Amino acid sequence: MSLSWGYARRYLLFNAVGAAGVAVQLGVLAALVQLGDVHYLLATAIAVETAILHNFAWHQRWTWRDRPGRARAGITARLLRFHLLNGAVSLAGNIAIVSALTGGVGVDPVIASAAAVAACSILNFAASEVLVFKTAIVVLFVLAIAGTPLAAGGGQLPHLQSSTASAWQSYEAEVDRRYREAQPDGQPFFAHDQFRRTPGWRESARQGSVVMTELDAPAPGKAAPSVPDGRIHHWVGAVFIPDATVDGVVRRLQAQAGQESASYQDVLASRLLDRDGDQVRVFMKLRRESVITVVYNTEHHVVYRRLGNARASSRSVATRIAELRDPGTPGERERGPAEDRGFLWRLNAYWRYEQADGGVFVECESVSLSRGVPLLLRPFITGIVEGIARESLQRTLVSLRRVLTAG
């Protein structure tokens, strides 16, 4: 499909959805004005909002179905952008035009509203194409501003400030404390149970789901932290491994240390650096992607521990993270500290394994640190940024389950 035909086809679909939205808007407006005796300006605002929600649902499923949102948070952020852009155009344009035509000239509100819809159509399409459903442009724009004063000041790339590192260390210490307190038979063992955010998660995991929960604090009852010039991404995911034992799971994972690239989608290369009993050091070339792709050379220190016969855990800390420039090309090289764009500064993973009837529950608590999102852009891309951390953990758990259930 050529670029011109692609845009033409999308514009036709956009207008088809828009035509249905017009019917919705005018129907709601007529009902409110003629049957409900609502003031025409308030009725216009309600009718426009109804049409906005209708149009977004169909644009998501039809007009821009080749650009699906990847997570609930991403779709929510997309809806917010749709409201801020299309909604602003539609609400402001409709109210202004209807006010001028009806209030100033005496045109029937329904006819005035139809004229307003036609006037706003092209502008709404352009905003949706460039800033709502083409999330790659939004994200690339945000990443590009790493070199602008808006993001870091003085046109410099963001650097890990001491205040940001201090906030991370405090957060990490609380997560570490919870991890160390785990006992062979103590409750609660899993983060899902400690935070009580996902009732029934065990049953969902048993049925084959990857149960995902976002956390906003290092421990239950703790306040969400203030992280100057940074952002902490905290996700917990869990899967169930049928017909497995805790000892068998841990032994298999330890034996495969350094071979992760053969099994995990986001690990492009790996090798064992050192092994000392229940401790291993591994190198991994990691890829993190959503609508963009960033690749890193990383080194991880992993320590396993047994907690009786029915439980075990492991803690993985990235001791080195180096973003790559031009990955996968002859010019591939590590970015120096002055070139690092701050997408991933820290990465910890806390794994928990527990024996259950018929298998083993495996949970991973992933905590990472990146540069902050500029205030003015948070409504537009926060969901997308969080989606990168979420989807990376989800893919890891899917791969892990596949590895552990293989014959």
Side-chain angles (χ1 to χ4, degrees):
M1 180 183 294
S2 68
L3 181 62
S4 59
W5 167 239
Y7 277 107
R9 177 181 178 278
R10 200 185 302 281
Y11 186 65
L12 290 175
L13 294 176
F14 176 86
N15 281 298
V17 171
V22 169
V24 169
Q25 179 175 326
L26 298 182
V28 171
L29 178 63
L32 291 175
V33 172
Q34 297 174 16
L35 302 178
D37 196 27
V38 178
H39 189 276
Y40 67 87
L41 287 183
L42 176 58
T44 297
I46 295 173
V48 169
E49 174 61 17
T50 304
I52 288 171
L53 295 175
H54 166 276
N55 290 357
F56 174 82
W58 283 104
H59 288 325
Q60 173 80 10
R61 293 176 61 87
W62 192 24
T63 312
W64 282 277
R65 63 184 176 185
D66 57 325
R67 303 173 188 170
R70 295 198 176 196
R72 181 176 299 176
I75 295 173
T76 301
R78 176 178 282 183
L79 176 58
L80 177 58
R81 295 197 301 273
F82 191 82
H83 267 83
L84 290 176
L85 295 167
N86 281 249
V89 171
S90 296
L91 284 171
N94 274 266
I95 291 176
I97 292 173
V98 171
S99 179
L101 294 179
T102 301
V105 184
V107 176
D108 183 89
V110 175
I111 296 176
S113 185
V117 168
C120 296
S121 174
I122 295 177
L123 186 56
N124 275 337
F125 174 76
S128 295
E129 170 67 18
V130 175
L131 295 175
V132 176
F133 292 94
K134 199 162 186 176
T135 53
I137 286 182
V138 179
V139 175
L140 288 172
F141 168 71
V142 173
L143 300 184
I145 65 168
T148 69
L150 176 62
Q156 299 298 312
L157 288 169
H159 296 289
L160 179 57
Q161 305 295 324
S162 59
S163 57
T164 313
S166 178
W168 163 261
Q169 290 164 3
S170 297
Y171 198 99
E172 179 187 45
E174 283 289 342
V175 180
D176 283 346
R177 179 186 59 78
R178 282 195 297 107
Y179 174 79
R180 290 193 303 269
E181 288 177 350
Q183 299 298 320
D185 56 0
Q187 293 292 341
F189 177 58
F190 292 110
H192 274 107
D193 295 327
Q194 294 168 3
F195 285 85
R196 299 180 180 179
R197 295 283 183 86
T198 316
W201 70 268
R202 282 181 172 81
E203 184 59 30
S204 295
R206 280 186 181 275
Q207 293 175 0
S209 297
V210 179
V211 183
M212 300 292 296
T213 303
E214 184 178 13
L215 303 178
D216 57 7
K222 295 288 184 177
S226 173
V227 185
D229 302 315
R231 184 175 182 87
I232 291 176
H233 313 272
H234 193 169
W235 287 90
V236 179
V239 293
F240 183 71
I241 313 300
D243 304 321
T245 65
V246 167
D247 184 64
V249 166
V250 171
R251 287 180 181 276
R252 190 162 184 179
L253 293 176
Q254 287 181 313
Q256 292 182 341
Q259 304 172 42
E260 292 81 3
S261 58
S263 305
Y264 295 86
Q265 179 181 348
D266 288 347
V267 183
L268 304 181
S270 61
R271 64 177 181 274
L272 180 66
L273 300 177
D274 184 53
R275 186 188 298 275
D276 182 9
D278 284 335
Q279 300 187 47
V280 294
R281 289 178 55 246
V282 295
F283 163 84
M284 287 189 282
K285 179 183 285 188
L286 294 181
R287 174 179 57 203
R288 303 198 82 177
E289 62 179 341
S290 181
V291 293
I292 65 161
T293 300
V294 187
V295 179
Y296 308 89
N297 282 341
T298 65
E299 294 180 10
H300 304 259
H301 180 216
V302 187
V303 180
Y304 290 86
R305 62 175 184 167
R306 269 72 170 182
L307 298 168
N309 295 323
R311 288 179 175 176
S313 64
S314 62
R315 177 178 180 267
S316 172
V317 175
T319 57
R320 182 173 183 270
I321 301 174
E323 183 187 347
L324 297 181
R325 178 186 287 276
D326 302 322
T329 72
E332 174 181 304
R333 65 175 179 82
E334 293 184 357
R335 292 177 179 267
E339 298 177 288
D340 181 87
R341 294 176 292 177
F343 303 153
L344 184 64
W345 281 327
R346 298 288 188 271
L347 177 61
N348 288 9
Y350 303 83
W351 293 85
R352 300 175 179 90
Y353 317 90
E354 184 178 67
Q355 195 73 50
D357 290 341
V360 174
F361 286 105
V362 178
E363 179 190 78
C364 181
E365 185 174 356
S366 174
V367 190
S368 58
L369 174 69
S370 71
R371 55 161 296 182
V373 176
L375 180 62
L376 293 177
L377 296 172
R378 288 176 189 172
F380 296 93
I381 57 90
T382 295
I384 298 170
V385 171
E386 285 301 328
I388 296 173
R390 181 189 190 279
E391 291 165 21
S392 177
L393 175 57
Q394 188 170 28
R395 286 193 295 268
T396 296
L397 288 167
V398 169
S399 297
L400 175 94
R401 183 172 57 192
R402 183 172 57 249
V403 168
L404 295 176
T405 55

